[in-house]
Amino acid sequence: MPECAIAVDVLRATTTMATALNNGAEAVQVFSDLDKLMADSEKWPADKRIRAGERGGGKVDGFDMGNSPLDCGPEMVAGKRIFISTTNGTRALQRIETSPTVLTAALINRKAVVDFLLSKKPETIGIVGSGWEGSFSLEDTVCAGAIAHSLLAQSGISPQEFAGNDEVFGAIALYQQWQDKLHELMQNASHGQRLLRLGVIEDLKYCAQTDILDVLPMQREPGVLVKSN
Ligand code: MLT
């Protein structure tokens, strides 16, 4: 495990988590299993919890919400714990939960993540794109590239020393290609197209914005993320 591990799921889990914490959610607790989510959240006061469940891009029946960041307004989430399970994003987080520092990143909070890394200077950083059921995702790779690009520019470290593998250079190059047309990227990406087929249009615009929220989601205990800045 790297000293600092960062999960990325731009469409949409880590965008949703950043938005919920920014709007006052007490914490975000992630689950890969829907039944375990139901059982654990049952122990929480009903007026202090929101159950968010997404599979295949859609809301899971019986849950309070799916995985739309636009459902995470302060009136919905302030003071509440979000119990969430999504197709890929929450699983990616569970894969890295033993790292000493676990963060989530999306385009909307890229700067907050980069600022933290610049100030704490972890020896090793791993960025995990959630992808889709084990396959590559354009938007997650571009977000990883956005983080690496900004970090490299500000760290003063040489590219050879900075990059732990060739994927870092690939991600930076992809970010440079798409940075001025991120909404177009979302519309081209396979998961963006899946969401468009489901009628989810506004989420793509929202998720394509860069550096709009100064929020750093950090794991406080395994599976539980809080706003740490
Ligand atoms: C996931 O975890 O795969 C996603 O966040 C799916 C979604 O868009 O809701």
Side-chain angles (χ1 to χ4, degrees):
M1 275 294 157
E3 192 179 320
C4 178
I6 307 169
V8 175
D9 186 4
V10 173
L11 289 174
R12 297 165 289 170
T14 56
T15 303
T16 296
M17 291 172 194
T19 304
L21 291 172
N22 189 65
N23 286 338
E26 176 262 332
V28 173
Q29 187 163 354
V30 302
F31 294 83
S32 52
D33 184 77
L34 293 170
D35 292 335
K36 182 156 171 40
L37 183 160
M38 276 297 175
D40 284 12
S41 59
E42 200 54 45
K43 298 170 200 150
W44 209 257
D47 61 340
K48 294 270 180 233
R49 72 170 180 232
I50 292 178
R51 290 161 164 161
E54 170 273 331
R55 287 294 179 270
K59 172 178 171 292
V60 180
D61 283 346
F63 279 65
D64 301 316
M65 58 175 270
N67 183 26
S68 173
L70 300 183
D71 287 342
C72 295
E75 68 295 342
M76 177 79 167
V77 302
K80 300 196 179 154
R81 179 167 292 211
I82 316 295
F83 294 84
I84 186 169
S85 179
T86 71
T87 312
N88 306 284
T90 53
R91 292 177 194 192
L93 257 170
Q94 288 192 324
R95 292 287 294 273
I96 59 169
E97 70 180 15
T98 57
S99 180
T101 302
V102 175
L103 307 175
T104 69
L107 289 166
I108 59 168
N109 68 330
R110 183 267 308 252
K111 184 176 183 303
V113 171
V114 170
D115 288 349
F116 172 83
L117 297 171
L118 286 169
S119 85
K120 297 292 175 199
K121 299 185 175 44
E123 187 68 22
T124 50
I125 300 166
I127 307 178
V128 182
S130 302
W132 188 264
E133 296 180 342
S135 60
F136 178 89
S137 141
L138 181 60
E139 69 279 8
D140 292 343
T141 309
V142 164
C143 182
I147 295 167
H149 181 263
S150 177
L151 204 50
L152 179 59
Q154 296 181 72
S155 65
I157 303 173
S158 72
Q160 296 76 17
E161 240 189 304
F162 177 83
N165 58 25
D166 289 355
E167 283 89 329
V168 177
F169 292 113
I172 291 174
L174 270 182
Y175 170 66
Q176 287 173 317
Q177 181 188 339
W178 287 99
Q179 60 182 325
D180 298 323
K181 40 186 180 176
L182 289 166
H183 184 224
E184 192 182 324
L185 176 158
M186 301 297 163
Q187 293 171 308
N188 281 285
S190 57
H191 186 50
Q193 291 188 15
R194 183 178 295 107
L195 290 172
L196 288 174
R197 284 195 295 276
L198 292 169
V200 178
I201 296 165
E202 292 305 315
D203 284 24
L204 265 60
K205 278 190 208 148
Y206 179 78
C207 295
Q209 300 173 97
T210 306
D211 300 338
I212 59 163
L213 299 185
D214 183 23
V215 58
L216 182 70
M218 184 183 288
Q219 182 175 262
R220 186 178 61 197
E221 60 195 82
V224 179
L225 297 139
V226 294
K227 181 180 189 288
S228 86
N229 59 338

